[in-house]
Amino acid sequence: MTTQLTFVAPRRAKPPRHLADLSMAERRAAIAELGEKPFRADQLSRHYFAKLTGSVADMTDLPAGSRERLAAELLPDLLTPVREIACDDGATRKTLWRLFDGALVESVLMRYPDRVTMCVSSQAGCGMNCPFCATGQAGLTRNLSTAEIVEQVVAGARALNSGQVPGGGVGAKGAGRVGGQGGNRVSNIVFMGMGEPLANYKAVINAVHRLVDPAPEGLGISARHVTVSTVGLVPAIEKLANEGLPVTLAVSLHAPDDELRDTLVPINTRWKVSEVLGAAWNYAATTGRRVSIEYALIRDINDQEWRADLLGRLLKGKLAHVNLIPLNPTPGSKWTASRPKDERAFVHRLESHGVPVTVRDTRGREIDGACGQLAAAPDR
Ligand code: SAH
């Protein structure tokens, strides 16, 4: 007799299903399956997306008997806060979250007098391996689900709502409401936290729908105030252009020449600068949206004037704007930000080609919450 051992690879558990994973039609179907009236989907959605209700006890328009069950089935806890650190007198807060399976991600909320920007993660870790970015160093753990992305925003909106985030300016009204203008609601979302959003395409697109769909279907944030930042996954940029979602596309270019970009953004060995920019111009033409070209200025690596000239020639006359990011320090990296005089010269060179340029502020740097610093290590 022989015994046969069959190796069964462990199936990776998925995050529990959540209301924010589902479209309105899917919510109604899910609720009907639970033996409840489909209109309960609208009520539940209003609580979650419009009122940002976090507690089942407050959902008094739902029958007491159904409340607990609906919440258990459709509003499971997906994010557990592990640590919160703040700077800028509390107006910038970084939260480290533990997900259902122990994976860790971070999100950052930045409150300004006229707006509130949330920087969200789309993956636990990242597989893109850019050497100057802290997230890339530990590799990819997994993709986040749609609801795990949306919950980061809802958590930020609730924190604003409950007065936990100072810095809204004088006469702050409507605190905590989502969408619209003003520094009292989450008005802007940037997919610039951990992960490569276009490598988790479906969940990210669904999350964008939840963010921009009007309440109570979604949070009602303007699509123009949502920025998806990518290393340059060309087929996914092309797909995004045809989604009918006028989000802002940001391309992490960091070098105008393939020789250097191959080393700074390793996926460049697959899709070259010319292909990435080609996809960006196609995105601009299809959506009418100005593309943001991200360029982290790294001392003596990519900050030479000739590179600014080359970049200026590539971008001249295009629907584009350059966002220069002074390199933020990351552990173990030998690189540092450009000298102020080199940064100024870089800006001037670009401007001489008629290319609009801004230098990004370094909000959150002292709490390792700025661009490229999110590493989700519990001891940092
Ligand atoms: N994976 C996506 C989104 C996350 S990073 C992307 O690469 O676009 C958000 C931005 O921060 C990107 O432009 C990224 O290149 C930049 N970045 C990464 N590390 C950085 C660092 N140490 N200093 C400044 N910017 C950094």
Side-chain angles (χ1 to χ4, degrees):
M1 203 181 86
T2 55
T3 36
Q4 201 180 340
L5 286 176
T6 329
F7 175 74
V8 182
R11 257 193 52 211
R12 291 234 215 138
K14 281 209 217 149
R17 177 183 68 171
H18 187 283
L19 193 74
D21 286 315
L22 310 175
S23 67
M24 204 60 172
E26 291 166 340
R27 290 172 215 168
R28 293 197 185 110
I31 283 184
E33 248 168 58
L34 295 169
E36 297 279 347
K37 299 265 191 315
F39 75 88
R40 301 273 177 234
D42 301 64
Q43 291 177 310
L44 214 53
S45 298
R46 197 158 299 119
H47 283 298
Y48 182 77
F49 288 103
K51 296 187 186 155
L52 307 168
T53 312
S55 139
V56 189
D58 294 338
M59 303 182 182
T60 48
D61 56 343
L62 293 165
S66 320
R67 232 181 273 166
E68 294 288 347
R69 177 146 169 270
L70 285 177
E73 290 282 347
L74 288 164
L75 296 172
D77 283 333
L78 296 178
L79 310 181
T80 309
V82 176
R83 192 195 48 218
E84 197 117 56
I85 32 177
C87 62
D88 303 319
D89 293 327
T92 301
R93 312 164 27 113
K94 178 173 84 162
T95 311
L96 172 67
W97 304 103
R98 178 172 286 112
L99 309 181
F100 86 105
D101 56 353
L104 297 169
V105 294
E106 291 179 312
S107 58
V108 184
L109 185 154
M110 290 158 279
R111 187 174 193 176
Y112 301 87
D114 61 336
R115 66 186 193 280
V116 177
T117 299
M118 281 214 66
C119 177
V120 296
S121 294
S122 56
Q123 299 181 311
C126 185
M128 296 298 129
N129 209 20
C130 304
F132 56 92
C133 175
T135 308
Q137 304 319 303
L140 176 67
T141 304
R142 71 166 168 87
N143 280 334
L144 299 196
S145 66
T146 296
E148 285 172 329
I149 298 169
V150 175
E151 275 270 86
Q152 297 170 51
V153 177
V154 169
R158 284 179 182 150
L160 272 174
N161 219 6
S162 59
Q164 292 172 52
V165 189
V170 185
K173 278 199 188 124
R177 295 223 311 277
V178 185
Q181 297 291 335
N184 311 309
R185 359 183 144 162
V186 177
S187 53
N188 296 59
I189 307 291
V190 294
F191 281 86
M192 293 190 183
M194 299 172 74
E196 166 51 41
L198 296 188
N200 184 15
Y201 190 84
K202 209 159 164 262
V204 166
I205 292 298
N206 283 335
V208 172
H209 276 291
R210 298 301 107 73
L211 300 178
V212 307
D213 285 351
E217 257 188 89
L219 291 169
I221 295 170
S222 157
R224 288 157 192 277
H225 293 169
V226 174
T227 299
V228 174
S229 180
T230 177
V231 288
L233 306 185
V234 167
I237 296 175
E238 278 161 4
K239 223 163 135 194
L240 184 66
N242 297 311
E243 292 285 350
L245 280 170
V247 296
T248 300
L249 176 72
V251 173
S252 294
L253 198 67
H254 306 313
D257 53 308
D258 287 319
E259 195 185 350
L260 179 58
R261 194 167 192 266
D262 280 350
T263 66
L264 294 180
V265 185
I267 199 72
N268 196 69
T269 55
R270 177 71 183 77
W271 291 289
K272 298 294 175 194
V273 170
S274 60
E275 294 170 277
V276 173
L277 290 180
W281 309 148
N282 172 55
Y283 187 86
T286 311
T287 62
R289 305 285 300 140
R290 189 166 80 158
V291 174
S292 182
I293 302 293
E294 311 293 294
Y295 199 106
L297 278 175
I298 313 176
R299 184 183 297 188
D300 298 332
I301 300 290
N302 65 352
D303 62 355
Q304 303 82 357
E305 287 192 50
W306 71 265
R307 280 205 162 88
D309 258 334
L310 182 53
L311 184 61
R313 286 199 295 276
L314 291 176
L315 305 189
K316 194 181 171 69
K318 303 293 187 188
L319 198 54
H321 140 264
V322 176
N323 203 199
L324 295 174
I325 319 171
L327 188 83
N328 291 306
T330 59
S333 168
K334 51 187 185 302
W335 290 328
T336 185
S338 299
R339 296 169 197 89
K341 73 167 177 48
D342 294 337
E343 181 183 299
R344 280 196 299 275
F346 203 92
V347 170
H348 287 146
R349 279 292 169 121
L350 278 175
E351 283 174 345
S352 74
H353 292 270
V355 175
V357 193
T358 48
V359 180
R360 182 180 293 171
D361 72 6
T362 50
R363 268 259 189 150
R365 198 187 247 196
E366 57 272 49
I367 55 172
D368 285 341
C371 297
Q373 294 185 308
L374 303 184
D379 54 345
R380 284 177 64 222

